[in-house]
C-alpha cells in the first residue's frame, strides 16, 4: 500500500480526488481484504452475546462500517438527521441506506438556528458543539432508548477522532462504543469502497466535499471569517437552502439582498 493522504485536517480536496482516481495504484484488493477480515473478526468478538448496533452517518466511513457489520452479523444501525441537512443528501440516504438502518429526526431546524445564530459556520471550540448536537447526543439517545450494550462507530484515528483504548470508549453513564476501523488509513477505506462498488452520497461531488463531509449546511467549515463565503458555497450547492433560511435568519437575508449571488 502507498499512502498519499494524511490527517483529514491537512489533506486538500484535490488530494482526495487524486487518491480516488488512482486507488488501484495505491492499494490492492488483497490488502483491502486483509483490513476487512481483521475488522470483521473484531466486530464478531466485540458483539458476541451483546445487543449491538452501528452508527450510520451516510458518509464514507459509516458506509464501509455498515458492510463490515453486515458480514459480522450486525444488521441494525441508526441515522440521525434534521431539517438543516442538505435535502439532496437526505433523499440519497432514504434511497440508499442499509435496510436495517433506522432514521431519527433530531428536531433541529430554522427556528432552532435562529436562536443559535452564533453557530452558523462556527469553528474551533464553538464549532465543536455541532458534534454534540448532530452526532454524539443523538447516538447516546439511540444507545439507551434501544437498550444497547455496544454501539459500533466508524471513527478512525487519522481523522483526529478519539477511539479510546483498543477501540473502546466506556462512559460513566454506561454507554460503550467501539471503533473497529480505528487504524485504517484513508487508502484502505477508499480501496474498500472502490473494490466493493459502494455508492457514495452526492456530498463528495460538491465543492470541497471530501474535506467537508456529511455535515448539515450551517456546519460548513472554513467559512467562519467570512460568513458570506459560507452562504455562497451553500447557495451554489442548493439555492433553495439559503432562500428558505433568509425567511428567518438575518445573515442569510443579507446575503441575498447584497447581490452576492450574481
Amino acid at each position: 500500500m502507498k499512502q498519499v493522504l494524511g490527517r483529514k485536517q491537512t489533506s486538500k480536496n484535490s488530494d482526495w480526488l487524486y487518491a480516488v482516481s488512482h486507488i488501484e495504484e495505491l492499494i490492492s484488493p488483497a490488502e483491502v481484504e486483509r483490513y476487512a477480515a481483521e475488522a470483521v473478526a473484531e466486530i464478531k468478538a466485540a458483539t458476541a452475546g451483546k445487543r449491538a448496533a452501528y452508527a450510520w452517518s451516510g458518509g464514507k466511513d459509516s458506509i464501509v462500517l455498515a458492510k463490515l457489520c453486515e458480514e459480522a452479523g450486525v444488521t441494525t444501525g441508526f441515522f440521525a438527521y434534521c431539517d438543516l441537512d442538505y435535502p439532496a443528501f437526505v433523499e440519497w440516504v432514504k434511497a440508499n441506506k442499509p435496510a436495517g438502518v433506522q432514521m431519527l429526526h433530531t428536531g433541529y431546524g430554522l427556528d432552532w438556528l435562529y436562536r443559535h445564530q452564533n453557530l452558523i459556520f462556527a469553528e474551533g471550540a464553538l464549532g465543536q458543539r455541532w458534534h454534540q448536537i448532530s452526532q454524539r447526543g443523538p447516538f447516546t439517545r439511540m444507545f439507551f432508548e434501544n437498550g444497547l450494550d455496544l454501539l459500533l462507530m466508524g471513527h478512525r484515528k487519522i481523522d483526529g477522532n478519539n477511539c479510546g483504548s483498543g477501540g473502546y470508549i466506556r462512559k460513566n453513564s454506561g454507554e460503550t462504543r467501539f471503533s473497529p476501523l480505528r487504524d485504517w488509513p484513508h487508502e484502505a477505506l477508499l480501496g474498500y469502497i472502490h473494490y466493493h462498488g459502494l455508492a457514495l452520497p452526492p456530498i463528495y461531488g460538491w465543492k470541497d466535499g471530501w474535506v467537508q463531509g456529511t455535515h448539515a449546511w450551517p456546519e460548513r467549515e472554513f467559512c467562519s471569517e467570512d460568513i458570506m463565503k459560507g452562504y455562497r458555497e451553500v447557495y451554489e450547492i442548493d439555492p433553495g437552502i439559503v432562500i428558505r433560511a433568509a425567511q428567518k435568519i438575518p445573515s442569510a437575508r443579507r446575503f441575498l439582498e447584497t447581490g452576492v449571488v450574481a
Side-chain angles (χ1 to χ4, degrees):
M1 178 181 62
K2 179 180 179 182
Q3 289 186 246
V4 296
L5 293 168
R7 290 174 66 86
K8 179 181 178 181
Q9 292 80 356
T10 60
S11 296
K12 297 179 294 186
N13 202 68
S14 58
D15 298 328
W16 283 94
L17 293 175
Y18 175 87
V20 169
S21 62
H22 293 80
I23 194 61
E24 292 186 4
E25 303 167 23
L26 302 178
I27 189 167
S28 69
E31 289 174 305
V32 168
E33 291 313 307
R34 283 197 290 273
Y35 276 100
E38 182 178 344
V40 169
E42 281 200 343
I43 294 170
K44 287 181 177 179
T47 60
K50 295 184 174 66
R51 183 175 175 83
Y54 59 88
W56 197 79
S57 70
K60 62 186 188 308
D61 303 271
S62 67
I63 286 171
V64 171
L65 176 66
K67 295 298 292 185
L68 297 172
C69 283
E70 180 181 349
E71 187 175 343
V74 180
T75 58
T76 299
F78 299 102
F79 170 74
Y81 72 108
C82 69
D83 292 340
L84 300 176
D85 281 301
Y86 294 93
F89 171 62
V90 175
E91 289 306 309
W92 182 91
V93 165
K94 291 177 180 178
N96 292 274
K97 70 177 182 65
V101 167
Q102 302 172 30
M103 298 181 68
L104 169 71
H105 193 287
T106 59
Y108 297 106
L110 287 175
D111 288 334
W112 177 88
L113 191 62
Y114 174 79
R115 300 191 298 272
H116 300 85
Q117 294 178 51
N118 61 328
L119 292 179
I120 298 175
F121 309 131
E123 295 181 29
L126 192 59
Q128 287 296 316
R129 289 184 58 188
W130 279 111
H131 295 291
Q132 177 62 33
I133 291 166
S134 61
Q135 294 184 23
R136 296 185 189 124
F139 287 136
T140 292
R141 171 182 165 186
M142 294 170 188
F143 183 93
F144 289 109
E145 286 186 354
N146 291 276
L148 298 180
D149 300 309
L150 186 69
L151 184 65
L152 296 152
M153 310 294 293
H155 290 167
R156 294 181 297 128
K157 295 176 184 176
I158 198 167
D159 275 338
N161 291 309
N162 174 19
C163 297
S165 176
Y168 285 93
I169 292 180
R170 296 179 174 87
K171 300 186 177 184
N172 292 334
S173 62
E175 181 182 359
T176 302
R177 298 182 178 186
F178 180 61
S179 301
L181 305 181
R182 60 193 179 281
D183 293 321
W184 282 42
H186 298 308
E187 291 78 10
L189 193 85
L190 296 177
Y192 189 95
I193 290 169
H194 173 73
Y195 292 121
H196 286 262
L198 304 183
L200 291 174
I203 280 178
Y204 294 109
W206 298 341
K207 178 179 173 58
D208 295 330
W210 288 96
V211 175
Q212 294 288 344
T214 55
H215 301 308
W217 70 260
E219 292 183 69
R220 195 164 184 83
E221 296 183 286
F222 315 117
C223 303
S224 60
E225 295 183 3
D226 183 1
I227 194 171
M228 293 297 113
K229 173 179 179 289
Y231 281 119
R232 187 181 308 111
E233 292 183 359
V234 172
Y235 188 91
E236 290 172 356
I237 294 169
D238 183 347
I241 291 175
V242 183
I243 292 170
R244 288 188 293 274
Q247 298 174 12
K248 293 183 178 291
I249 310 298
S251 55
R253 186 161 56 248
R254 187 167 65 253
F255 170 79
L256 296 178
E257 292 173 347
T258 55
V260 179
V261 300

